[in-house]
Amino acid sequence: MKIGFISLGCPKNQVNCEQMLWQAHAAGHEIALEAEDCDLAVVNTCGFLQEAKQEALDEIERLCTLKREGRLGRVIVAGCMAQRYREEIETLCPEADGFVGTGGYESIAQVIAETEAGKRPHHFGDIDAAVPETDRVVATSDHWAYLRIAEGCDNRCSYCMIPSIRGKFRSRPMEAILEEARSLAECGMKELIIVAQDITRYGLDLYGRRRLADLLQELCQVEGIAWIRLHYLYPDEIDDALIALIAKEEKIVKYLDLPIQHISTKILKAMNRRGTGEDIRALLTKLRREIPGLVLRTSLICGFPGETEEDFEELCVFLREYRLERAGIFPFSLEEGSAAYTFPDPVEDEVKRRRLELLTEIQLDVVDAYCAAQVGKSVLLLCEGFEPESGRYVGRSYAESPDIDGCIYIEGEEDLIPGEFYRVRVTEAVDGELIAIREEA
Ligand code: SF4
């Protein structure tokens, strides 16, 4: 059978999808990254926020339309949305042929076989089971890949449903991660992007202590890997040893994704986040001091219940002062089943929208100033390939994480090699994107 896979949502979902691709391939199926003209399509959904649920439902509707038109055989709904709404998923997706939850990814070959036999299977599995050590087909790129080091989360932020969708925090054994890293390097990967819901907690469940620094030290020894990028560090778990390691190890890029969510201590407390606004400010100052050239990414929520004009103003002042180079800003989303669902003092939608606009404006100014400051600088860039629409090669420096940050366009080059590193000089900044020319080799 020809089976198409579509992955929605975050990098962790992407890894699950890549593992399902491998299992379908190992079961003898032809695999594709699109649904049309396939015998079956698997859509790996996100279910974290209402917006993600809607995106998943829209995609499922698109697939079911293809099915009705005879351009697709069957549809399997997998992942976070199926897991979160498992009781009502059949009603939500009446035309889908099978369902796989976040604890059931390993059963995908069986689910495919059951749909072929005319059944309508549900495989939800155990969301707290050990992380499956399944092979995968990397579908992101030939030169960078996500490396998932843990699954689930124990943090219980009051707005977040992830612990109930993805289970408790479970680290992968260090040897399994290193083996995967070596095999990715052998396949030509140059950059590994370390992901988990909270990478700073790595090892606590398996080894009784946090071992992210140990793991990173080992990963730096993997031959062929040039860049190691860290996504999703919980602020209060970043200790001095980890900071020193990041500063010292050349392979660990000076880019950290540190979701802080807010800066008002009152709101952080209501969010059930550990630490205060002062702790976050002190950490950021320390990180900037200890890691020269550091680029910081964060995510922020505005309009959380009880957020007053004063709390919001504190967030605006913080963004202007601390000038984080990258920020994802989201309006609070009321999620049924989360602790915050019943919180008093909701912020009106109109106010939430205005706050989101204001924060976005502030952040755009920060990004523009950052980009303007890059002009004239010499940077090492990983070539991503040729972009036909712009007629130019594109690449990323350590400051751009794939898929979420912009890229750097390289002018006047006709034969660069994707996956190779080049030194370029930034010549211009346009709407948050950088333009560069190659320096003499
Ligand atoms: S750290 Fe908080 S926001 Fe992030 S996945 Fe865990 S509970 Fe959700």
Side-chain angles (χ1 to χ4, degrees):
M1 268 199 289
K2 184 176 175 188
I3 305 186
F5 285 84
I6 292 146
S7 186
L8 306 174
C10 67
K12 282 89 62 185
N13 236 22
Q14 174 69 28
V15 173
N16 291 125
C17 197
E18 292 176 351
Q19 288 182 315
M20 289 196 288
L21 275 163
W22 171 263
Q23 288 172 74
H25 168 72
H29 300 296
E30 184 188 343
I31 54 176
L33 295 175
E34 58 193 12
E36 205 163 341
D37 298 327
C38 286
D39 301 297
L40 185 147
V42 180
V43 55
N44 196 25
T45 59
C46 174
F48 175 46
L49 301 173
Q50 291 310 308
E51 203 180 310
K53 176 186 175 189
Q54 194 51 53
E55 187 196 356
L57 290 174
D58 291 347
E59 180 61 15
I60 293 161
E61 175 52 28
R62 183 183 77 83
L63 298 178
C64 291
T65 305
L66 288 177
K67 184 175 149 179
R68 268 177 254 127
E69 292 169 354
R71 291 149 71 200
L72 168 65
R74 297 185 297 282
V75 176
I76 291 176
V77 177
C80 293
M81 190 190 76
Q83 185 71 43
R84 180 171 176 189
Y85 299 99
R86 56 184 292 178
E87 307 301 338
E88 52 192 296
I89 194 71
E90 285 207 17
T91 323
L92 275 173
C93 312
E95 292 176 80
D97 301 275
F99 305 95
V100 178
T102 54
Y105 286 123
E106 274 184 299
S107 319
I108 189 66
Q110 189 185 337
V111 173
I112 292 168
E114 286 175 5
T115 62
E116 206 177 2
K119 294 185 188 156
R120 199 178 185 214
H122 291 65
H123 283 247
F124 289 95
D126 176 5
I127 61 169
D128 292 320
V131 187
E133 295 297 336
T134 320
D135 271 336
R136 55 195 269 228
V137 176
V138 176
T140 46
S141 157
D142 291 336
H143 41 268
W144 66 265
Y146 294 115
L147 182 62
R148 182 180 48 170
I149 63 170
E151 185 48 271
C153 188
D154 287 347
N155 284 326
R156 308 274 161 193
C157 303
S158 63
Y159 51 84
C160 181
M161 292 298 295
I162 283 179
S164 65
I165 300 173
R166 293 221 161 232
K168 64 180 185 193
F169 186 82
R170 291 104 69 209
S171 303
R172 293 177 62 199
M174 197 177 292
E175 200 35 62
I177 298 171
L178 292 172
E179 201 180 307
E180 184 176 13
R182 285 183 212 111
S183 116
L184 288 167
E186 275 164 25
C187 294
M189 296 298 166
K190 304 281 175 58
E191 178 178 3
L192 296 179
I193 302 179
I194 311 300
V195 293
Q197 265 81 21
D198 171 7
I199 64 169
T200 30
R201 188 173 282 249
Y202 176 75
L204 198 54
D205 55 319
L206 265 191
Y207 305 111
R209 64 187 174 91
R210 292 187 174 81
R211 295 197 62 192
L212 179 63
D214 294 344
L215 174 66
L216 292 176
Q217 251 164 343
E218 294 292 332
L219 284 170
C220 287
Q221 307 307 315
V222 176
E223 216 172 300
I225 299 300
W227 281 356
I228 295 172
R229 190 182 293 278
L230 309 182
H231 272 280
Y232 322 125
L233 298 101
Y234 200 103
D236 82 335
E237 292 175 320
I238 302 174
D239 58 20
D240 288 352
L242 184 59
I243 297 173
L245 180 76
I246 295 167
K248 182 187 87 181
E249 278 293 351
E250 272 185 25
K251 285 189 179 182
I252 304 178
V253 295
K254 309 314 171 211
Y255 175 110
L256 296 177
D257 186 347
L258 195 81
I260 61 169
Q261 315 301 359
H262 213 283
I263 198 65
S264 146
T265 298
K266 182 192 94 187
I267 298 295
L268 287 168
K269 199 157 186 280
M271 286 176 163
N272 200 28
R273 302 278 300 174
R274 298 185 300 275
T276 63
E278 265 323 296
D279 295 334
I280 291 173
R281 289 185 185 91
L283 174 68
L284 296 179
T285 305
K286 185 193 246 180
L287 288 171
R288 292 270 196 223
R289 190 180 60 231
E290 305 287 328
I291 309 174
L294 181 64
V295 167
L296 283 163
R297 165 168 278 281
T298 199
S299 57
L300 297 165
I301 297 174
C302 66
F304 191 81
E307 184 189 69
T308 59
E309 284 299 331
E310 206 185 346
D311 300 320
F312 175 67
E313 184 53 28
E314 189 180 348
L315 188 53
C316 293
V317 170
F318 166 79
L319 263 193
R320 283 192 202 99
E321 279 182 4
Y322 281 75
R323 312 195 74 73
L324 307 182
E325 292 81 0
R326 319 282 185 211
I329 304 169
F330 306 94
F332 170 70
S333 174
L334 191 61
E335 297 298 324
E336 199 170 359
S338 68
Y341 191 69
T342 54
F343 283 6
D345 303 326
V347 174
E348 281 173 29
D349 284 349
E350 189 46 46
V351 177
K352 227 190 280 181
R353 223 181 347 260
R354 183 177 53 77
R355 289 181 183 174
L356 178 66
E357 274 172 21
L358 272 168
L359 287 176
T360 307
E361 262 174 45
I362 295 171
Q363 187 56 22
L364 277 177
D365 285 347
V366 171
V367 172
D368 282 348
Y370 168 73
C371 287
Q374 301 314 300
V375 175
K377 287 193 179 162
S378 167
V379 295
L380 189 65
L381 167 148
L382 178 59
C383 180
E384 289 282 12
F386 187 75
E387 190 189 78
E389 307 91 70
S390 66
R392 291 178 290 195
Y393 279 91
V394 290
R396 295 179 292 107
S397 74
Y398 78 96
E400 289 88 27
S401 190
D403 287 347
I404 42 171
D405 300 325
C407 57
I408 301 180
Y409 291 90
I410 311 148
E411 297 239 277
E413 293 295 330
E414 288 174 1
D415 54 0
L416 300 185
I417 303 167
E420 287 294 315
F421 285 95
Y422 295 96
R423 187 149 282 282
V424 299
R425 183 164 298 277
V426 178
T427 54
E428 211 181 330
V430 184
D431 297 335
E433 308 277 16
L434 299 177
I435 296 165
I437 51 167
R438 194 174 164 195
E439 291 188 325
E440 289 308 311

